Amino acid sequence: MVLMIIKLGLNQGFQLLVVAVGEVLLLNSLLSTLSTSALFMENVKYLPGIKLGKNVIADPDLDNAVKGANMLVFVTPHQFIDNICKSLVGKVRSDAEAISLIKGMEVKIEGPCLISTYISEQLGINCSVLMGANLASEIAEEKFSEATVGYGNNREIAEQWVQLFTTPYFMVTPVQDVEGVELCGTLKNVVAIAAGFVDGLDMGNNTKAAIIRFGLREMREFCKLLFSSVKDDSFFESCGVADVITTCFGGRNRKVAEAFAKNGGKRSFYELEAEMLQGQKLQGVPTAREVYEVLRHRGLLELFPLFATVHEICSGCLPPSAIVIYSEKKPRLPV
Ligand SMILES: NC(=O)c1ccc[n+]([C@@H]2O[C@H](COP(=O)([O-])OP(=O)(O)OC[C@H]3O[C@@H](n4cnc5c(N)ncnc54)[C@H](O)[C@@H]3O)[C@@H](O)[C@H]2O)c1
Ligand SMILES: O=P(O)(O)OC[C@H](O)CO
């Protein structure tokens, strides 16, 4: 999924949902994965056999897809949001509401920027977030899942998003903490990479549980470092501990990091991603680099040994086995 534009009039209900892609060059390759010949739309590449529903329309023309839309859902690997937003400037309704499902962040010279903030600033519209323990394949099979909507000041808008996304098998909870919810979704991908290293080195469940705990602790500290407003309770929502668990056991970041460690770091993430994910993108590796940049810039790398080590392993400066050695060599965060 790249970008969903939901055209929804107040009280009209869930009438028309358009899936569009962000870059002309990619249109053919991406849309070729969506079979329109079937009675209902199907993503034959990533979700074969799953009917997307009669109200899903694939539109290769992004400008046309956003025209008149009052609710915009952004779901793309965060590497591409820059170009997508730039192409949408001046084309969306000024009263449109956006929501981002994107787990990642932008790091600029002036500092880190949440994707929801970026969308909001580029397009001049409000942007909420939806994050959670949401492996796409399981949701597609209608297995029970939860998610968290992070919103700013407008509870009414949050309730609209909750209503829009909720199904009998998908339970959505609103939380007034955009930054906390979004950063949880972003940072859990770094923890997933660490969990994959542990799996690839057959270090066992206790080690993996320890890595998850260290990871959650660093997630909380990093969130509070960037935004003092982040609420502790957000870490107990689906966007927090639940997403860390699901991604450390069933996600793509874990899977590719496991292969990286099994190969002793000799095959690059880039190569493994291309081979294993069929065009899908890993968020954990770029996010680890972005987090590292933020910490380095602020002179705080020593306080975040897990995050720092993940990036140093991904970039080839340390071997995968360093994922557990780091804790003996470097000072730990306060518990
Ligand atoms: N897949 C999941 O289970 C899941 C669950 C929750 C949240 N997310 C988050 O949602 C976001 C999107 O994840 P996804 O799994 O849908 O993405 P994905 O990795 O499946 O990639 C989606 C598509 O983006 C395409 N793409 C490549 N280059 C592009 C470009 N230049 N411009 C636009 N698109 C391009 C890829 O070809 C791919 O088809 C990520 O931030 C992810 O963390 C994913
Ligand atoms: O497959 P991953 O590792 O990108 O994780 C997917 C989702 O973010 C899990 O909630």
Side-chain angles (χ1 to χ4, degrees):
M1 186 160 34
V2 174
L3 170 66
M4 281 197 298
I5 316 293
I6 301 172
K7 295 185 176 176
L8 186 77
L10 283 180
N11 306 319
Q12 274 182 305
F14 201 174
Q15 286 196 330
L16 176 65
L17 193 150
V18 181
V19 181
V21 293
E23 287 195 348
V24 175
L25 282 177
L26 284 156
L27 299 189
N28 290 341
S29 63
L30 189 92
L31 285 183
S32 65
T33 68
L34 293 171
S35 160
T36 44
S37 57
L39 184 56
F40 304 125
M41 290 287 293
E42 181 179 339
N43 185 329
V44 290
K45 187 170 179 188
Y46 296 133
L47 292 172
I50 304 289
K51 303 298 177 206
L52 298 178
K54 282 181 187 168
N55 56 354
V56 176
I57 299 167
D59 188 343
D61 182 345
L62 194 58
D63 292 5
N64 187 51
V66 298
K67 202 179 287 170
N70 55 0
M71 297 183 92
L72 308 176
V73 184
F74 289 83
V75 199
T76 174
H78 74 285
Q79 295 92 318
F80 309 128
I81 193 64
D82 205 13
N83 285 343
I84 290 173
C85 277
K86 283 189 176 128
S87 74
L88 287 177
V89 171
K91 292 174 183 159
V92 302
R93 278 171 56 151
S94 58
D95 63 346
E97 280 290 330
I99 194 163
S100 168
L101 281 53
I102 299 168
K103 296 174 177 175
M105 66 181 171
E106 290 263 307
V107 177
K108 302 165 179 295
I109 301 166
E110 58 271 24
C113 176
L114 299 181
I115 301 296
S116 61
T117 308
Y118 185 77
I119 292 170
S120 209
E121 286 176 358
Q122 287 286 314
L123 303 181
I125 56 177
N126 183 50
C127 187
S128 308
V129 297
L130 181 140
M131 305 281 149
N134 296 155
L135 295 172
S137 56
E138 296 180 15
I139 298 171
E141 288 174 30
E142 304 193 358
K143 293 176 176 170
F144 178 77
S145 305
E146 286 187 291
T148 313
V149 163
Y151 68 98
N153 296 321
N154 195 333
R155 175 81 187 193
E156 211 178 301
I157 294 297
E159 295 292 352
Q160 281 185 23
W161 287 120
V162 168
Q163 194 186 348
L164 193 65
F165 282 105
T166 297
T167 69
Y169 58 87
F170 195 73
M171 195 171 100
V172 186
T173 305
V175 168
Q176 192 176 16
D177 182 7
V178 179
E179 293 85 7
V181 172
E182 183 166 357
L183 274 172
C184 275
T186 299
L187 297 170
K188 67 86 185 169
N189 286 329
V190 182
V191 185
I193 298 281
F197 294 152
V198 167
D199 285 347
L201 297 168
D202 282 328
M203 288 175 163
N205 293 319
N206 294 342
T207 307
K208 189 155 150 181
I211 290 293
I212 289 173
R213 192 179 79 84
F214 296 156
L216 266 167
R217 198 170 55 180
E218 291 194 17
M219 282 169 59
R220 187 187 61 185
E221 295 308 311
F222 190 87
C223 288
K224 287 177 183 272
L225 179 74
L226 261 49
F227 300 97
S228 57
S229 61
V230 165
K231 296 176 180 162
D232 280 335
D233 284 353
S234 300
F235 296 90
F236 293 94
E237 297 291 343
S238 180
C239 63
V241 63
D243 201 5
V244 174
I245 292 170
T246 206
T247 198
C248 287
F249 285 88
R252 297 163 293 187
N253 286 286
R254 187 218 67 82
K255 185 173 155 187
V256 179
E258 179 185 43
F260 181 87
K262 276 190 194 302
N263 284 284
K266 292 193 172 60
R267 295 188 68 201
S268 71
F269 268 100
Y270 182 75
E271 188 185 347
L272 291 166
E273 178 189 67
E275 184 179 295
M276 298 174 76
L277 298 186
Q278 300 175 295
Q280 291 196 310
K281 294 287 169 197
L282 280 184
Q283 307 291 282
V285 176
T287 302
R289 186 185 62 242
E290 288 150 2
V291 166
Y292 193 91
E293 280 308 310
V294 173
L295 294 174
R296 192 176 57 83
H297 187 68
R298 298 185 181 204
L300 295 172
L301 281 169
E302 295 279 298
L303 289 177
F304 292 84
L306 182 70
F307 286 171
T309 304
V310 168
H311 172 66
E312 285 163 6
I313 295 172
C314 292
S315 56
C317 299
L318 289 174
S321 58
I323 198 61
V324 289
I325 298 168
Y326 82 87
S327 58
E328 292 160 17
K329 290 189 176 163
K330 293 184 181 174
R332 295 168 173 221
L333 282 169
V335 180

